[in-house]
Amino acid sequence: MSHMEDLINGLVDQDNNKAYECLKKLEEISNQSSTIYRFFDAFVEMLESDHSYIRTRGLRLIAANARWDIDNKIDKIIDKFLECVTDEKPITARQCIKALPTIVKYKPDLKKDVENALRDANLSRYQENMQALIFKDIHKALGDIEKI
């Protein structure tokens, strides 16, 4: 198995610290090159996980590879991605929201879909204090998207 495959497999490791280290390395690689774009489908599969940390890692890596998405794979899964704006776990929802300006930067044709999902997000499932934080995240993301 290659080092890259070890990192990909490490994303779902039960040791969250190890998995997080793999995520950070893969995000760093994604900022430099398209090397891990070939694993894009694995990141999409992670969105289906029962574990919110795994969903979050998938979201972040999808966004990190938006610039390399020559096959328009994000366009095909954007609805699934946007479902995470109101993920059952507020931390995952917040990570999704924070990733959206990056997606719009590289996929401007998805801007309206993203803006609509953010504006239409029903935050009632969250406790009040978390609703306020997520609302701020949405407001910031919409502001960042407006600047793109």
Side-chain angles (χ1 to χ4, degrees), residues 47-48 55 59 77-89 92-93 96-97 100 113 117 121-122 125-126:
L47 298 181
E48 300 292 335
R55 289 194 303 276
L59 290 167
I77 60 99
I78 193 63
D79 291 339
K80 184 71 185 154
F81 193 100
L82 291 173
E83 286 175 15
C84 296
V85 166
T86 55
D87 190 89
E88 65 182 284
K89 297 291 186 179
T92 300
C96 174
I97 293 162
L100 289 171
D113 292 329
N122 180 351
R125 75 182 321 167
Y126 307 113

mmCIF file of all heavy atoms in Angstrom, residues 47-48 55 59 77-89 92-93 96-97 100 113 117 121-122 125-126:
data_model
loop_
_atom_site.group_PDB
_atom_site.id
_atom_site.type_symbol
_atom_site.label_atom_id
_atom_site.label_comp_id
_atom_site.label_asym_id
_atom_site.label_seq_id
_atom_site.Cartn_x
_atom_site.Cartn_y
_atom_site.Cartn_z
ATOM 1 N N LEU A 47 -19.333 10.855 3.613
ATOM 2 C CA LEU A 47 -20.511 11.642 3.979
ATOM 3 C C LEU A 47 -21.643 10.758 4.489
ATOM 4 O O LEU A 47 -22.556 11.232 5.160
ATOM 5 C CB LEU A 47 -21.002 12.473 2.790
ATOM 6 C CG LEU A 47 -20.047 13.513 2.226
ATOM 7 C CD1 LEU A 47 -20.709 14.258 1.071
ATOM 8 C CD2 LEU A 47 -19.562 14.475 3.294
ATOM 9 N N GLU A 48 -21.601 9.478 4.147
ATOM 10 C CA GLU A 48 -22.638 8.527 4.551
ATOM 11 C C GLU A 48 -22.359 7.876 5.905
ATOM 12 O O GLU A 48 -23.167 7.101 6.398
ATOM 13 C CB GLU A 48 -22.766 7.420 3.493
ATOM 14 C CG GLU A 48 -23.135 7.904 2.110
ATOM 15 C CD GLU A 48 -24.543 8.463 2.030
ATOM 16 O OE1 GLU A 48 -25.403 8.073 2.853
ATOM 17 O OE2 GLU A 48 -24.782 9.296 1.147
ATOM 18 N N ARG A 55 -17.691 12.044 8.685
ATOM 19 C CA ARG A 55 -18.416 12.932 7.755
ATOM 20 C C ARG A 55 -17.674 14.259 7.615
ATOM 21 O O ARG A 55 -17.502 14.768 6.507
ATOM 22 C CB ARG A 55 -19.848 13.182 8.239
ATOM 23 C CG ARG A 55 -20.758 11.993 8.122
ATOM 24 C CD ARG A 55 -22.225 12.351 8.290
ATOM 25 N NE ARG A 55 -22.564 13.019 9.528
ATOM 26 C CZ ARG A 55 -22.824 12.427 10.689
ATOM 27 N NH1 ARG A 55 -22.748 11.105 10.775
ATOM 28 N NH2 ARG A 55 -23.156 13.124 11.757
ATOM 29 N N LEU A 59 -16.149 16.003 4.232
ATOM 30 C CA LEU A 59 -16.528 17.357 3.819
ATOM 31 C C LEU A 59 -15.303 18.215 3.558
ATOM 32 O O LEU A 59 -15.209 18.903 2.533
ATOM 33 C CB LEU A 59 -17.350 18.037 4.923
ATOM 34 C CG LEU A 59 -18.746 17.544 5.208
ATOM 35 C CD1 LEU A 59 -19.245 18.129 6.521
ATOM 36 C CD2 LEU A 59 -19.670 17.896 4.070
ATOM 37 N N ILE A 77 -22.653 15.889 -6.544
ATOM 38 C CA ILE A 77 -22.967 15.515 -5.163
ATOM 39 C C ILE A 77 -23.288 16.722 -4.285
ATOM 40 O O ILE A 77 -23.401 16.594 -3.067
ATOM 41 C CB ILE A 77 -21.809 14.689 -4.532
ATOM 42 C CG1 ILE A 77 -20.472 15.475 -4.506
ATOM 43 C CG2 ILE A 77 -21.635 13.391 -5.255
ATOM 44 C CD1 ILE A 77 -20.176 16.101 -3.175
ATOM 45 N N ILE A 78 -23.469 17.884 -4.897
ATOM 46 C CA ILE A 78 -23.656 19.096 -4.097
ATOM 47 C C ILE A 78 -24.873 18.998 -3.176
ATOM 48 O O ILE A 78 -24.833 19.468 -2.039
ATOM 49 C CB ILE A 78 -23.709 20.391 -4.970
ATOM 50 C CG1 ILE A 78 -23.594 21.646 -4.094
ATOM 51 C CG2 ILE A 78 -24.962 20.405 -5.834
ATOM 52 C CD1 ILE A 78 -22.298 21.800 -3.345
ATOM 53 N N ASP A 79 -25.942 18.372 -3.616
ATOM 54 C CA ASP A 79 -27.122 18.244 -2.758
ATOM 55 C C ASP A 79 -26.787 17.452 -1.496
ATOM 56 O O ASP A 79 -27.203 17.819 -0.395
ATOM 57 C CB ASP A 79 -28.288 17.599 -3.502
ATOM 58 C CG ASP A 79 -28.862 18.502 -4.578
ATOM 59 O OD1 ASP A 79 -28.656 19.732 -4.510
ATOM 60 O OD2 ASP A 79 -29.505 17.978 -5.499
ATOM 61 N N LYS A 80 -26.035 16.371 -1.663
ATOM 62 C CA LYS A 80 -25.625 15.551 -0.519
ATOM 63 C C LYS A 80 -24.726 16.371 0.406
ATOM 64 O O LYS A 80 -24.870 16.318 1.622
ATOM 65 C CB LYS A 80 -24.891 14.294 -1.012
ATOM 66 C CG LYS A 80 -24.513 13.361 0.081
ATOM 67 C CD LYS A 80 -25.759 12.696 0.622
ATOM 68 C CE LYS A 80 -25.472 11.837 1.811
ATOM 69 N NZ LYS A 80 -26.623 11.678 2.676
ATOM 70 N N PHE A 81 -23.810 17.118 -0.180
ATOM 71 C CA PHE A 81 -22.911 17.968 0.610
ATOM 72 C C PHE A 81 -23.718 18.994 1.399
ATOM 73 O O PHE A 81 -23.493 19.190 2.592
ATOM 74 C CB PHE A 81 -21.909 18.657 -0.320
ATOM 75 C CG PHE A 81 -20.758 19.307 0.393
ATOM 76 C CD1 PHE A 81 -19.529 18.674 0.469
ATOM 77 C CD2 PHE A 81 -20.891 20.560 0.980
ATOM 78 C CE1 PHE A 81 -18.454 19.269 1.126
ATOM 79 C CE2 PHE A 81 -19.831 21.162 1.632
ATOM 80 C CZ PHE A 81 -18.609 20.511 1.709
ATOM 81 N N LEU A 82 -24.668 19.635 0.739
ATOM 82 C CA LEU A 82 -25.436 20.701 1.377
ATOM 83 C C LEU A 82 -26.370 20.191 2.474
ATOM 84 O O LEU A 82 -26.761 20.957 3.351
ATOM 85 C CB LEU A 82 -26.211 21.487 0.324
ATOM 86 C CG LEU A 82 -25.346 22.322 -0.617
ATOM 87 C CD1 LEU A 82 -26.190 22.933 -1.722
ATOM 88 C CD2 LEU A 82 -24.556 23.386 0.142
ATOM 89 N N GLU A 83 -26.703 18.913 2.454
ATOM 90 C CA GLU A 83 -27.487 18.332 3.552
ATOM 91 C C GLU A 83 -26.732 18.484 4.871
ATOM 92 O O GLU A 83 -27.337 18.574 5.943
ATOM 93 C CB GLU A 83 -27.764 16.848 3.298
ATOM 94 C CG GLU A 83 -28.807 16.585 2.248
ATOM 95 C CD GLU A 83 -28.967 15.104 1.950
ATOM 96 O OE1 GLU A 83 -28.487 14.253 2.737
ATOM 97 O OE2 GLU A 83 -29.571 14.783 0.913
ATOM 98 N N CYS A 84 -25.424 18.526 4.793
ATOM 99 C CA CYS A 84 -24.596 18.616 6.002
ATOM 100 C C CYS A 84 -24.622 20.008 6.625
ATOM 101 O O CYS A 84 -24.123 20.194 7.741
ATOM 102 C CB CYS A 84 -23.170 18.178 5.690
ATOM 103 S SG CYS A 84 -23.063 16.432 5.213
ATOM 104 N N VAL A 85 -25.200 20.981 5.934
ATOM 105 C CA VAL A 85 -25.353 22.317 6.518
ATOM 106 C C VAL A 85 -26.176 22.216 7.804
ATOM 107 O O VAL A 85 -25.976 22.986 8.742
ATOM 108 C CB VAL A 85 -26.010 23.290 5.506
ATOM 109 C CG1 VAL A 85 -26.481 24.566 6.179
ATOM 110 C CG2 VAL A 85 -25.045 23.596 4.371
ATOM 111 N N THR A 86 -27.087 21.253 7.847
ATOM 112 C CA THR A 86 -27.894 21.023 9.047
ATOM 113 C C THR A 86 -27.683 19.588 9.553
ATOM 114 O O THR A 86 -28.630 18.912 9.951
ATOM 115 C CB THR A 86 -29.387 21.292 8.772
ATOM 116 O OG1 THR A 86 -29.803 20.497 7.662
ATOM 117 C CG2 THR A 86 -29.652 22.763 8.507
ATOM 118 N N ASP A 87 -26.448 19.149 9.541
ATOM 119 C CA ASP A 87 -26.104 17.818 10.035
ATOM 120 C C ASP A 87 -26.615 17.658 11.468
ATOM 121 O O ASP A 87 -26.715 18.634 12.213
ATOM 122 C CB ASP A 87 -24.582 17.632 10.008
ATOM 123 C CG ASP A 87 -24.152 16.201 10.283
ATOM 124 O OD1 ASP A 87 -24.053 15.434 9.306
ATOM 125 O OD2 ASP A 87 -23.935 15.850 11.462
ATOM 126 N N GLU A 88 -26.910 16.423 11.843
ATOM 127 C CA GLU A 88 -27.403 16.175 13.204
ATOM 128 C C GLU A 88 -26.402 16.634 14.261
ATOM 129 O O GLU A 88 -26.785 17.012 15.365
ATOM 130 C CB GLU A 88 -27.738 14.702 13.398
ATOM 131 C CG GLU A 88 -26.522 13.783 13.311
ATOM 132 C CD GLU A 88 -26.884 12.319 13.454
ATOM 133 O OE1 GLU A 88 -27.158 11.894 14.582
ATOM 134 O OE2 GLU A 88 -26.883 11.633 12.424
ATOM 135 N N LYS A 89 -25.130 16.607 13.924
ATOM 136 C CA LYS A 89 -24.091 17.058 14.854
ATOM 137 C C LYS A 89 -23.703 18.495 14.493
ATOM 138 O O LYS A 89 -23.244 18.760 13.381
ATOM 139 C CB LYS A 89 -22.856 16.160 14.788
ATOM 140 C CG LYS A 89 -23.122 14.733 15.207
ATOM 141 C CD LYS A 89 -23.415 14.665 16.694
ATOM 142 C CE LYS A 89 -23.534 13.215 17.137
ATOM 143 N NZ LYS A 89 -23.796 13.106 18.550
ATOM 144 N N THR A 92 -20.265 19.185 12.862
ATOM 145 C CA THR A 92 -20.176 18.817 11.443
ATOM 146 C C THR A 92 -20.862 19.881 10.591
ATOM 147 O O THR A 92 -20.342 20.279 9.543
ATOM 148 C CB THR A 92 -20.787 17.428 11.205
ATOM 149 O OG1 THR A 92 -20.064 16.475 12.004
ATOM 150 C CG2 THR A 92 -20.727 17.024 9.748
ATOM 151 N N ALA A 93 -22.004 20.353 11.044
ATOM 152 C CA ALA A 93 -22.704 21.419 10.311
ATOM 153 C C ALA A 93 -21.805 22.650 10.190
ATOM 154 O O ALA A 93 -21.679 23.238 9.105
ATOM 155 C CB ALA A 93 -24.003 21.778 11.029
ATOM 156 N N CYS A 96 -19.051 22.101 7.671
ATOM 157 C CA CYS A 96 -19.622 22.151 6.321
ATOM 158 C C CYS A 96 -19.798 23.602 5.887
ATOM 159 O O CYS A 96 -19.377 23.992 4.797
ATOM 160 C CB CYS A 96 -20.957 21.421 6.294
ATOM 161 S SG CYS A 96 -21.836 21.559 4.725
ATOM 162 N N ILE A 97 -20.414 24.386 6.740
ATOM 163 C CA ILE A 97 -20.671 25.794 6.422
ATOM 164 C C ILE A 97 -19.365 26.537 6.142
ATOM 165 O O ILE A 97 -19.263 27.301 5.186
ATOM 166 C CB ILE A 97 -21.480 26.454 7.556
ATOM 167 C CG1 ILE A 97 -22.884 25.838 7.605
ATOM 168 C CG2 ILE A 97 -21.532 27.971 7.391
ATOM 169 C CD1 ILE A 97 -23.630 26.067 8.909
ATOM 170 N N LEU A 100 -17.931 25.898 2.620
ATOM 171 C CA LEU A 100 -18.687 26.310 1.429
ATOM 172 C C LEU A 100 -18.069 27.460 0.634
ATOM 173 O O LEU A 100 -18.091 27.411 -0.608
ATOM 174 C CB LEU A 100 -20.138 26.600 1.804
ATOM 175 C CG LEU A 100 -20.931 25.335 2.157
ATOM 176 C CD1 LEU A 100 -22.294 25.693 2.735
ATOM 177 C CD2 LEU A 100 -21.073 24.424 0.938
ATOM 178 N N ASP A 113 -26.963 27.649 -5.448
ATOM 179 C CA ASP A 113 -27.365 26.483 -4.653
ATOM 180 C C ASP A 113 -26.858 26.609 -3.224
ATOM 181 O O ASP A 113 -27.581 26.333 -2.262
ATOM 182 C CB ASP A 113 -26.818 25.184 -5.262
ATOM 183 C CG ASP A 113 -27.457 24.841 -6.594
ATOM 184 O OD1 ASP A 113 -28.638 25.176 -6.799
ATOM 185 O OD2 ASP A 113 -26.769 24.228 -7.430
ATOM 186 N N ALA A 117 -29.085 27.139 0.198
ATOM 187 C CA ALA A 117 -29.003 26.178 1.300
ATOM 188 C C ALA A 117 -28.681 26.883 2.612
ATOM 189 O O ALA A 117 -29.242 26.553 3.662
ATOM 190 C CB ALA A 117 -27.949 25.117 0.995
ATOM 191 N N ALA A 121 -31.480 27.221 5.732
ATOM 192 C CA ALA A 121 -31.124 26.257 6.783
ATOM 193 C C ALA A 121 -32.035 26.417 8.002
ATOM 194 O O ALA A 121 -32.176 27.504 8.551
ATOM 195 C CB ALA A 121 -29.667 26.435 7.184
ATOM 196 N N ASN A 122 -32.646 25.320 8.396
ATOM 197 C CA ASN A 122 -33.496 25.297 9.583
ATOM 198 C C ASN A 122 -32.639 24.839 10.759
ATOM 199 O O ASN A 122 -32.242 23.673 10.830
ATOM 200 C CB ASN A 122 -34.671 24.344 9.366
ATOM 201 C CG ASN A 122 -35.589 24.280 10.563
ATOM 202 O OD1 ASN A 122 -35.286 24.800 11.628
ATOM 203 N ND2 ASN A 122 -36.718 23.616 10.382
ATOM 204 N N ARG A 125 -33.195 22.315 15.148
ATOM 205 C CA ARG A 125 -32.792 21.039 15.763
ATOM 206 C C ARG A 125 -31.702 21.234 16.811
ATOM 207 O O ARG A 125 -31.436 20.332 17.590
ATOM 208 C CB ARG A 125 -32.344 20.050 14.693
ATOM 209 C CG ARG A 125 -30.981 20.354 14.124
ATOM 210 C CD ARG A 125 -30.505 19.442 13.020
ATOM 211 N NE ARG A 125 -30.851 18.062 13.225
ATOM 212 C CZ ARG A 125 -30.771 17.118 12.295
ATOM 213 N NH1 ARG A 125 -30.338 17.431 11.105
ATOM 214 N NH2 ARG A 125 -31.102 15.886 12.554
ATOM 215 N N TYR A 126 -31.056 22.394 16.813
ATOM 216 C CA TYR A 126 -29.931 22.641 17.703
ATOM 217 C C TYR A 126 -30.363 23.430 18.942
ATOM 218 O O TYR A 126 -31.330 24.205 18.889
ATOM 219 C CB TYR A 126 -28.824 23.416 16.979
ATOM 220 C CG TYR A 126 -28.398 22.767 15.692
ATOM 221 C CD1 TYR A 126 -28.637 23.373 14.474
ATOM 222 C CD2 TYR A 126 -27.770 21.519 15.685
ATOM 223 C CE1 TYR A 126 -28.249 22.784 13.275
ATOM 224 C CE2 TYR A 126 -27.379 20.916 14.498
ATOM 225 C CZ TYR A 126 -27.633 21.552 13.300
ATOM 226 O OH TYR A 126 -27.253 20.953 12.123
#
